[in-house]
Amino acid sequence: MTDKTTILKVKNLDVELDNRKIIDDLSFEVKRGETLVILGPNGAGKSVLLKTLLNLLPYEGEIKWGKDIKIGYVPQRLPFIKNIPLSVREFFELKSTKNVGEVLDLVGLNISVENQSVGTLSSGQFQRVLIAWALINDPEVLFFDEPTSGIDIGGEETIHSLLSDLKKKRELTIFLVTHDLNVVYQEANNVLCLNHKKLCYGLPQEVLTSQNIEKLFGGNVKFFEHNH
């Protein structure tokens, strides 16, 4: 790559599914160690972008990762897993048997959770298990697709502080999909405003103007400027 600190370059990205243009001519860069928040309304193409960056969907344009980058992915939800009679340890053994206790501790779970059935975990515990699962093979990049979806407000705050903590401990580059404006100011180095096209990109304090927020979400969103 031309810039050794750049971990990802995306250029003129187009994604079409079922004859519908989901992502249209998208270009951006992410540097190592940054948190990029991908912000937009429901149905804007945020999750599709993550899956495309993981090479799970067909696309046109250019996606260029740094050499040998390992990526962990925390999905929005995996409801079917909770209906399968698996213990937490058995769930991890589907992927790896190493460092299970270590990664559970890293996400704030007691080692005794290993023996619990996945189906008996609270939504917050299950979210932490999914984050630990994504960390098991020591990735440099973590993708979070709305990691607080379905979790109460107290749980959300805890998950967000956990993400900040993990970023420091593991020197991670984080891609965080959300439609929560508060998270952007707390976590983002840069924000990508996405509604099929790139509507804005850059430092939250600079690009999240009331005009851009209205363009992104429509006119019914209350906007409070943060002075950081």
Side-chain angles (χ1 to χ4, degrees):
M1 308 196 78
T2 54
D3 180 352
K4 66 179 181 179
T5 65
T6 299
I7 206 166
L8 171 68
K9 280 188 179 180
V10 175
K11 193 171 179 185
N12 307 127
L13 182 67
D14 288 313
V15 181
E16 194 172 288
L17 300 173
D18 299 325
N19 296 316
R20 284 178 57 233
K21 183 68 74 76
I22 309 296
I23 294 174
D24 186 9
D25 195 27
L26 179 62
S27 299
F28 65 94
E29 292 185 12
V30 178
K31 295 192 183 302
R32 190 178 293 275
E34 284 186 348
T35 294
L36 174 68
V37 171
I38 303 162
L39 181 71
N42 290 332
K46 304 186 300 293
S47 297
V48 166
L49 175 58
L50 288 194
K51 288 171 184 168
T52 306
L53 295 178
L54 289 165
N55 205 24
L56 298 175
L57 294 173
Y59 66 89
E60 292 181 1
E62 186 180 329
I63 295 174
K64 194 173 181 184
W65 285 99
K67 196 173 177 216
D68 301 326
I69 295 295
K70 280 200 289 186
I71 303 169
Y73 176 54
V74 183
Q76 197 172 111
R77 54 180 77 84
L78 284 177
F80 64 90
I81 288 287
K82 296 198 82 171
N83 298 323
I84 298 173
L86 280 178
S87 70
V88 171
R89 170 157 278 284
E90 287 166 338
F91 177 51
F92 275 95
E93 284 172 354
L94 297 173
K95 191 174 189 181
S96 173
T97 55
K98 63 169 191 175
N99 304 331
V100 175
E102 182 189 326
V103 292
L104 288 175
D105 182 60
L106 194 63
V107 300
L109 288 173
N110 192 289
I111 192 73
S112 62
V113 169
E114 273 192 79
N115 300 315
Q116 266 187 254
S117 165
V118 171
T120 64
L121 300 175
S122 71
S123 58
Q125 286 176 315
F126 186 57
Q127 191 67 57
R128 287 169 189 269
V129 164
L130 290 180
I131 293 169
W133 162 272
L135 289 167
I136 197 81
N137 289 327
D138 299 319
E140 299 116 296
V141 176
L142 267 190
F143 282 7
F144 291 95
D145 192 352
E146 301 208 29
T148 59
S149 182
I151 298 175
D152 63 47
I153 293 298
E156 284 189 13
E157 288 169 1
T158 312
I159 293 289
H160 287 139
S161 61
L162 172 61
L163 297 192
S164 297
D165 197 36
L166 287 174
K167 181 181 172 181
K168 289 175 197 147
K169 284 181 179 170
R170 291 287 183 104
E171 298 181 344
L172 294 165
T173 304
I174 290 178
F175 291 68
L176 176 59
V177 164
T178 187
H179 52 252
D180 182 346
L181 281 171
N182 292 321
V183 176
V184 183
Y185 288 104
Q186 290 167 25
E187 307 296 339
N189 297 101
N190 283 307
V191 56
L192 168 62
C193 304
L194 182 68
N195 196 352
H196 304 296
K197 292 184 171 193
K198 178 170 71 178
L199 298 181
C200 63
Y201 178 84
L203 294 170
Q205 294 80 2
E206 291 178 6
V207 302
L208 289 183
T209 62
S210 53
Q211 291 87 349
N212 279 339
I213 294 298
E214 191 168 326
K215 201 160 54 168
L216 187 61
F217 289 105
N220 56 358
V221 173
K222 289 183 181 174
F223 178 70
F224 303 95
E225 290 202 27
H226 286 226
N227 298 310
H228 285 204

